[in-house]
C-alpha cells in the first residue's frame, strides 16, 4: 500500500509528478540507448526516486535500485546510499575517508567498522557523526517499539532542519525551485538502517508501524517513507558484530 506524503510536507503533487517523469524518462532514454554516461543515468534515477518516494514508494524502490546499479558502474560510492534506500546490501565498500558511509554499512550489514571521525560533520547534511552513532546505539538498546521515537527524535529533528528552513519560502518550496530535495536520500538511508537495527533487535514491524502512526512530527515522515520502501520486512541475520 502506497501513501501520499506530499500534502503533509506542503509539496505540490503535480510538480513532483512532473519532475519524476522528466528525470525517469531521461534516465530510461540514456539507459535504453546504451549510453556509457553512467553518472548521469545514476543521478537521474536517483532524482526520480527522491521525488516519487513521497507518493509512490514502490516506484521509488525500483528507481533507487537502478540508481544503485549505475552508481556502482560509475565507481561512485553514492551507490551505498541508493542500495540501502531500497534495502539492498551495498556492493561497494566505503573508504576510511567516508566515515558516515562506513557507519551506515556497518549497522545495515551488522558488521564491525572503525569510526574515527567521531565529531566530524558528515554526509551531505553535514551532521556530526556523534548524533548518528547515538541514534544507532540507542536503537540497539531498545526492547520495544515505544522506545524508538525518543531514540530517533534528536537525529530526525537535526536531519529535518534544512527542509524546515527551506519550506519557509512557501512558493519556492511548493514548486521545488532549484530542484530542492525535500528529504535527502541520505536521510532515507539512515532511517532504513535504523529500522533494520530495530528489526534485528526483535522489535516487530507491526509494532513499529503502529508507533510511527502516532508520531505527528513531520521529521518522522522520513521513517514512514522508509517503512513503505521495504518490500521484504525480514531483517538481516544477526551476526553478533558491532561497530568498533
Amino acid at each position: 500500500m502506497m501513501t501520499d506524503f506530499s500534502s503533509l510536507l506542503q509539496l505540490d503533487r503535480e510538480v513532483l509528478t512532473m519532475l519524476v517523469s522528466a528525470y525517469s524518462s531521461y534516465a530510461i532514454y540514456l539507459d535504453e540507448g546504451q549510453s556509457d554516461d553512467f553518472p548521469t543515468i545514476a543521478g537521474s534515477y536517483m532524482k526520480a526516486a527522491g521525488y516519487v518516494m513521497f507518493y509512490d514508494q514502490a516506484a521509488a524502490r525500483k528507481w533507487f535500485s537502478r540508481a544503485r546499479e549505475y552508481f556502482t558502474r560509475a565507481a561512485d560510492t553514492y551507490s551505498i546510499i541508493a542500495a540501502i534506500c531500497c534495502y539492498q546490501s551495498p556492493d561497494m565498500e566505503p573508504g576510511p575517508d567516508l566515515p558516515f558511509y562506513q557507519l551506515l554499512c556497518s549497522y545495515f550489514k551488522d558488521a564491525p567498522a572503525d569510526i574515527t571521525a567521531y565529531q566530524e560533520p558528515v554526509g551531505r547534511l553535514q551532521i556530526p557523526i556523534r548524533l548518528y552513532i547515538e541514534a544507532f546505539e540507542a536503537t540497539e538498546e531498545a526492547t520495544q517499539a515505544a522506545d524508538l521515537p525518543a531514540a530517533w527524535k534528536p537525529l530526525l529533528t537535526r536531519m529535518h532542519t534544512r527542509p524546515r528552513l527551506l519550506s519557509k519560502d512557501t512558493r519556492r518550496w511548493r514548486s521545488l525551485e532549484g530542484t530542492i530535495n525535500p528529504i535527502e536520500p541520505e536521510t532515507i538511508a539512515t532511517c532504513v538502517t535504523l529500522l533494520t537495527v530495530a528489526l534485528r533487535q526483535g522489535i516487530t514491524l507491526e509494532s513499529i508501524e503502529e508507533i510511527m502512526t502516532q508520531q505527528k512530527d513531520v521529521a518522522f515522515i522520513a521513517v514512514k517513507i522508509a517503512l513503505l520502501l521495504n518490500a521484504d520486512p525480514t531483517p538481516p541475520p544477526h551476526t553478533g558484530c558491532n561497530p568498533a
Side-chain angles (χ1 to χ4, degrees):
M1 183 178 67
M2 301 301 103
T3 301
D4 189 342
F5 295 99
S6 57
S7 60
L8 290 175
L9 287 167
Q10 298 181 320
L11 296 169
D12 189 323
R13 169 67 182 269
E14 290 186 8
V15 172
L16 284 171
T17 303
M18 178 187 67
L19 288 169
V20 170
S21 177
Y23 281 110
S24 62
S25 296
Y26 187 52
I28 292 169
Y29 168 75
L30 293 176
D31 195 348
E32 293 181 346
Q34 298 183 329
S35 168
D36 59 0
D37 188 356
F38 300 150
T40 299
I41 297 173
S44 297
Y45 277 131
M46 198 70 166
K47 277 289 191 181
Y51 290 128
V52 80
M53 69 181 182
F54 294 107
Y55 62 88
D56 186 342
Q57 292 77 41
R61 190 163 55 243
K62 178 174 69 173
W63 297 141
F64 277 131
S65 182
R66 295 297 283 169
R68 176 204 61 78
E69 177 185 344
Y70 279 95
F71 277 127
T72 299
R73 291 191 190 186
D76 187 330
T77 50
Y78 207 51
S79 169
I80 293 168
I81 299 301
I84 294 176
C85 282
C86 57
Y87 287 82
Q88 295 178 5
S89 183
D91 47 15
M92 293 186 71
E93 292 296 329
D97 58 329
L98 294 170
F100 173 52
Y101 288 12
Q102 281 188 312
L103 185 71
L104 288 185
C105 282
S106 167
Y107 277 100
F108 186 79
K109 295 180 177 181
D110 195 19
D114 179 19
I115 307 299
T116 55
Y118 191 77
Q119 292 288 348
E120 293 296 322
V122 294
R124 297 191 176 187
L125 294 175
Q126 286 293 282
I127 294 173
I129 199 169
R130 167 184 54 82
L131 290 178
Y132 291 100
I133 293 173
E134 289 174 354
F136 286 124
E137 289 180 344
T139 306
E140 287 189 317
E141 295 172 0
T143 58
Q144 56 184 345
D147 298 333
L148 300 177
W152 296 349
K153 187 169 183 177
L155 177 58
L156 292 174
T157 300
R158 182 64 177 269
M159 290 192 295
H160 193 67
T161 297
R162 185 170 181 271
R164 180 175 55 80
L165 293 174
L166 289 172
S167 66
K168 291 183 181 297
D169 187 338
T170 307
R171 182 184 61 81
R172 288 177 60 86
W173 175 257
R174 283 186 57 79
S175 62
L176 294 170
E177 284 187 23
T179 58
I180 292 169
N181 283 330
I183 297 178
E184 285 286 344
E186 286 186 357
T187 298
I188 298 299
T190 299
C191 292
V192 167
T193 306
L194 287 168
L195 288 166
T196 300
V197 174
L199 291 170
R200 194 181 290 130
Q201 289 296 104
I203 300 174
T204 66
L205 182 66
E206 293 75 13
S207 65
I208 297 174
E209 290 174 337
E210 181 179 356
I211 206 73
M212 286 302 122
T213 61
Q214 300 171 21
Q215 308 308 309
K216 304 306 179 186
D217 188 333
V218 292
F220 280 85
I221 287 177
V223 179
K224 296 174 183 180
I225 291 172
L227 278 166
L228 292 166
L229 287 171
N230 191 0
D232 178 11
T234 304
H238 182 65
T239 64
C241 299
N242 293 304

